[in-house]
Amino acid sequence: MMRQYLKKDEWKIIEEGFNPEHHTASESIFSLGNGQMGQRANFEEAWSGPTLRGSYIAGVYYPDKTRVGWWKNGYPEYFAKVINSPNWIGIDVNINDETLDLFKVSKVENFVRILDMKKGVLQRQFTATLNNGIRVSVTTERFLSMERPEVGAIRFSVTPENDDCNLIITPFIDGDVKNEDANYDEKFWNILSAEASAFEASLLSQTKKLDFRVGFAAKSIITGGETSNIQPIQNATFAGNQISLKAKKGEKIIVNKYVGVCSSLYHPAEQLLSQAKKQASEAAEVGFDNLLTEHAAHWENIWKHSDIKILGDVAAQQGIRFNIFQLNQTYTGKDERLNIGPKGFTGEKYGGSTYWDTEAYCIPFFLMTAPQKVVKNLLIYRYKHLGKAIENAQKLGFTDGAALYPMVTMNGEECHNEWEITFEEIHRNGAIAFAIHNYIRHTGDDAYLEQYGLEVLIGIARFWSQRATYSQEKQKFVILGVTGPNEYENNVNNNWYTNKIAQWCLNYAREAIDIVEKNNPQRLEEIIKKVKLDRNTETNMWKSVADNLYFPYYEEEGIFLQQDGYMDKEQITTDELSPSIRPLNQHWSWDRILRSCFIKQADTLQGIYLFEEEYDTETIRRNFAFYEPRTVHESSLSPCVHSILAARIGNVDKAYELYLRTSRLDLDDYNREVHEGLHITSMAGTWMSIVEGFGGKRVYDDRKLRLAPCIPEQWHEYSFRIRFRGNDLEVRVNQEQVEITCHGTGSTSLLLYNEEVDIPAGKSICKPLINNYYAKN
Ligand code: BGC
């Protein structure tokens, strides 16, 4: 199943040798991004083989007209798509009248592609023998500047190896691009202008709907060779510079292409081209090497706070760094209008939209590795969508300020229309509320509640109290017709996870009101007025629903039951499934999947993971022992949560086995789908499985840090760094001991296993490792 063609290295992803069959996978794996734009690892020069050309600009999307068989009331009108944007990396090379195209040349040798994660740069080299007999060596380097988020830079060199030759080099910008996933095969862009002069090209594009505009400008500088002609070329959608030159055998011709990409999110429409040109010429003045130095310095700082080191296992080391690298390329936290699509900028699947993945997976990662404002911006994104969430709930029949956040969104509107996901996966509302709590308990920023959080929590609590139904038969509140995180059963009643998170939201909203009342009573009055809260009546109702909510339980096994009807299903475990029918979603009918007991991803266990403090180890063990063998992990978000829980119950081997599935999911292409893009959001889960799984990091009593490290026998040592309430800690674990260093300016105290430890600022403590701590407790 796996595809392992990449070389293992601690800091680099390396592909050696050219195999066109791997090309689309590599286009995903070697993707680059800088939070504001992203680019798949497409070749600069022509490539006529299979490809997904992908260039994406953060926040620029298209409301593609929806496609459904049977329209139902309440369906969203559109499915938003991150737009495949004009191709700004292109550099065509023609050698003695033949186009350099690795799919067509007679021979490719010494092909190496390297993603240097330390510096954030993509490099490639090869020697190609063309059909006309000319042999050329090519090297390329490319990065999307972290320091200047509107700049991309390329250094491309060609050296004729066996003869002098005539070269035509054409750096260009091409606006004739299409989304692979367009519903009606339409193009999404109008190209408003395309202009070229000697070494410059520019293009102004506008989305056909919503009027996003993006200006592109390229400045190319060529060194080497004897230039005979420079010909600007332009048509309605294309602008480039055709440079003809003679190159001597052995002479290196270097093209430096500097590109400015400016979108209307950041500039007035009439300034887009001038701004893009300014970015490109400033970059050209600074020069490739200096740009790269400042970009690498940016990465150095990111790595300082987010790196995880694993000694004794290069594959694991490469895997975790790849995940950290991709997450930081996708979201930099500077703009609260942006969010994190499940595939980031590496493909079109999931439309680049925001899912609950952000709150449930990415926020824990960024909370502990990035400055506080990064997660605050992710929370404010949802705060700004509160009005739309209220409208969304109204469309479904809810009233009085009840808010249902969309399952899939770009601008706060729901833009997905599979009913079992759009309407039924209401648990996402809970993840959004929980993220507020998670942020506050990690940062201590209580003021967030009064500034933004409380309004969101009230809207969400109102939703849950209206969504619950009182069952006369059970004499309890029930929540009917939902899909839990396990998308392999729909329209179920009393999904344990959904009920659990609903109950928690109802309680937390009341608690949050009390906190704001204590800290800032005047602000509470303002909020009450603004959201028209009938404080006593409403909060009493919330309490009554929370206190009387029904939770299915299966006595015989002593487990929380995933949903009312779960035990009616034929009970089989995954080891009874033949590998030939995995993954189930590619072999079984949907009908069969829905009837089966197989679970796509953590569901009841997702709830136990979130509220672990409430359960003793035995309870967690029983639930894990029941559910994990029924779980097919067909969502990339699944193995990580299971790995964390396996470590929590002292089963380090199982934790490691599950960790391996998550850590190199894309690098080893476990699901044979990496060509569609990378699993960006689940990468955060991989990070969690080290820090929360092996590291045992928890926040307890809502404000205190706890660590309970264990280590897989395969590793000599691992270390990670976390931010917590203004402090900065480094944790190093080997087979004998745990060392914790406090890098912050103040001292810190935490619970290590069950012992309270104090660490002065700048100092470390060392304690023996208790690898089987949870096995015994
Ligand atoms: C998962 C969802 C997730 C979505 C986007 C689905 O396969 O089941 O939980 O939100 O992918 O990552």
Side-chain angles (χ1 to χ4, degrees), residues 553-620:
Y553 190 77
Y554 185 54
E555 289 288 347
E556 248 162 79
E557 299 268 355
I559 54 152
F560 307 122
L561 194 57
Q562 186 164 281
Q563 48 98 357
D564 280 352
Y566 188 76
M567 290 316 294
D568 294 337
K569 296 181 161 191
E570 186 188 4
Q571 295 297 322
I572 335 171
T573 51
T574 53
D575 54 5
E576 295 170 63
L577 289 173
S578 142
S580 64
I581 54 158
R582 309 279 295 268
L584 295 183
N585 65 22
Q586 286 172 25
H587 293 89
W588 280 7
S589 71
W590 193 234
D591 174 75
R592 189 164 179 194
I593 287 179
L594 292 180
R595 282 185 284 118
S596 87
C597 73
F598 295 113
I599 304 170
K600 181 181 181 189
Q601 68 202 87
D603 191 304
T604 302
L605 294 181
Q606 186 89 22
I608 292 182
Y609 160 71
L610 276 189
F611 303 109
E612 188 206 288
E613 255 185 285
E614 295 176 23
Y615 308 110
D616 58 31
T617 307
E618 265 322 304
T619 306
I620 303 174

Side-chain angles (χ1 to χ4, degrees), residues 148-374:
R148 303 165 191 246
E150 297 179 321
V151 169
I154 301 169
R155 177 153 60 195
F156 187 101
S157 84
V158 193
T159 314
E161 296 292 352
N162 59 347
D163 209 344
D164 299 351
C165 60
N166 293 321
L167 288 179
I168 305 174
I169 298 183
T170 312
F172 64 87
I173 304 169
D174 181 12
D176 187 18
V177 289
K178 227 167 91 166
N179 266 55
E180 200 180 68
D181 67 349
N183 281 344
Y184 295 89
D185 212 27
E186 285 167 332
K187 291 193 175 158
F188 298 158
W189 293 102
N190 290 321
I191 304 302
L192 303 179
S193 73
E195 284 166 19
S197 60
F199 290 101
E200 288 172 14
S202 67
L203 188 135
L204 184 61
S205 58
Q206 174 197 35
T207 54
K208 287 192 177 160
K209 292 182 193 163
L210 299 182
D211 196 19
F212 286 110
R213 295 185 191 209
V214 186
F216 297 81
K219 190 173 176 103
S220 302
I221 297 171
I222 300 211
T223 50
E226 190 189 313
T227 303
S228 56
N229 187 27
I230 303 166
Q231 177 76 46
I233 40 171
Q234 62 195 57
N235 64 34
T237 57
F238 182 98
N241 329 92
Q242 204 172 53
I243 300 140
S244 309
L245 47 95
K246 282 193 190 324
K248 292 221 161 3
K249 176 179 162 187
E251 186 185 18
K252 191 185 253 193
I253 314 298
I254 302 173
V255 187
N256 283 314
K257 182 176 177 186
Y258 303 96
V259 185
V261 180
C262 295
S263 89
S264 51
L265 262 74
Y266 300 103
H267 304 278
E270 65 284 0
Q271 286 176 22
L272 288 168
L273 275 183
S274 58
Q275 287 294 336
K277 286 177 186 169
K278 184 165 169 262
Q279 290 291 339
S281 16
E282 279 177 10
E285 252 161 59
V286 175
F288 191 90
D289 289 322
N290 292 334
L291 285 174
L292 183 53
T293 305
E294 61 179 37
H295 169 71
H298 198 108
W299 270 109
E300 195 182 334
N301 191 41
I302 292 177
W303 284 116
K304 185 172 155 206
H305 288 283
S306 60
D307 192 20
I308 289 185
K309 295 188 187 71
I310 299 174
L311 306 188
D313 187 341
V314 181
Q317 176 68 80
Q318 186 183 41
I320 189 64
R321 285 205 172 121
F322 182 64
N323 294 341
I324 296 168
F325 178 72
Q326 290 296 349
L327 282 159
N328 280 292
Q329 293 208 109
T330 308
Y331 188 72
T332 52
K334 291 185 196 134
D335 185 340
E336 83 263 354
R337 292 168 300 177
L338 305 182
N339 210 286
I340 306 158
K343 301 260 169 214
F345 298 117
T346 68
E348 293 170 14
K349 202 171 173 206
Y350 298 111
S353 304
T354 305
Y355 286 64
W356 73 306
D357 305 30
T358 294
E359 283 77 15
Y361 293 83
C362 300
I363 281 187
F365 167 78
F366 284 111
L367 261 180
M368 285 175 269
T369 58
Q372 191 168 321
K373 71 166 193 324
V374 171

Side-chain angles (χ1 to χ4, degrees), residues 342 350 355-357 407 425 485 487 600-601 634-635 637 681:
Y350 298 111
Y355 286 64
W356 73 306
D357 305 30
M407 183 63 184
E425 258 189 88
E487 292 179 344
K600 181 181 181 189
Q601 68 202 87
E634 287 179 17
S635 161
L637 301 176
T681 49

